Amino acid sequence: MTFNFNMQAGKRRAKTTTMAEGEELIELRFRIYDGIDIAHGTYEASMTVSTLKQRIIAEWPQGKTVTPKSMHDLKLIHAGKVLENNKTLADSRITVGDLPLGLITMHVVVQPSKAKQKTGSSSSLS
């Protein structure tokens, strides 16, 4: 595996390629609310954010007090921007931070959708 860096608009973009396929790969890890990193691995740049979220849910640690039920409960944040579900990692312009070997840490925010929240426990004001 080789690591290459392309300059685009003044930012470095991570590019890792395998010799066999030549597919662009990006090394990612995901930091959840309690500071633990999950789903560390190499991902294809053509992978959509929604597919990535599904993988994160599948690898979510057991026993956490906050657990996503679906990909709509997750927000992935990179460089201060929330990634859109329908875009690929390449479309999202994933940039390399200061970490060695181009490893990128994304932050995962669990935000359950409002439609699933209980409304029966609300009190009325008189």
Side-chain angles (χ1 to χ4, degrees):
M1 192 176 295
T2 60
F3 293 90
N4 301 310
F5 295 95
N6 293 336
M7 295 299 288
Q8 291 185 352
K11 293 185 179 181
R12 294 181 296 163
R13 289 198 56 201
K15 180 179 181 183
T16 27
T17 56
T18 60
M19 296 303 217
E21 296 177 17
E23 174 68 34
E24 184 176 357
L25 301 173
I26 302 171
E27 186 175 3
L28 301 172
R29 66 179 172 189
F30 303 90
R31 185 151 298 154
I32 62 175
Y33 64 91
D34 60 0
I36 293 177
D37 293 337
I38 62 171
H40 179 207
T42 304
Y43 299 87
E44 294 180 6
S46 60
M47 178 180 278
T48 63
V49 172
S50 60
T51 302
L52 189 57
K53 286 181 177 182
Q54 291 170 353
R55 180 163 174 189
I56 291 169
I57 290 170
E59 294 187 24
W60 197 265
Q62 298 289 326
K64 294 292 180 189
T65 56
V66 178
T67 304
K69 304 288 187 235
S70 74
M71 70 171 201
H72 301 291
D73 294 346
L74 291 180
K75 296 204 181 314
L76 296 182
I77 301 171
H78 173 68
K81 295 181 182 177
V82 177
L83 304 184
E84 297 177 36
N85 288 339
N86 60 342
K87 293 197 174 188
T88 65
L89 292 175
D91 293 340
S92 300
R93 297 183 183 171
I94 304 303
T95 57
V96 176
D98 294 328
L99 296 174
L101 300 178
L103 174 64
I104 297 169
T105 301
M106 288 191 189
H107 293 270
V108 181
V109 175
V110 179
Q111 188 174 30
S113 54
K114 293 181 181 186
K116 294 181 182 179
Q117 292 178 352
K118 295 180 182 179
T119 58
S121 62
S122 62
S123 62
S124 62
L125 298 174
S126 301

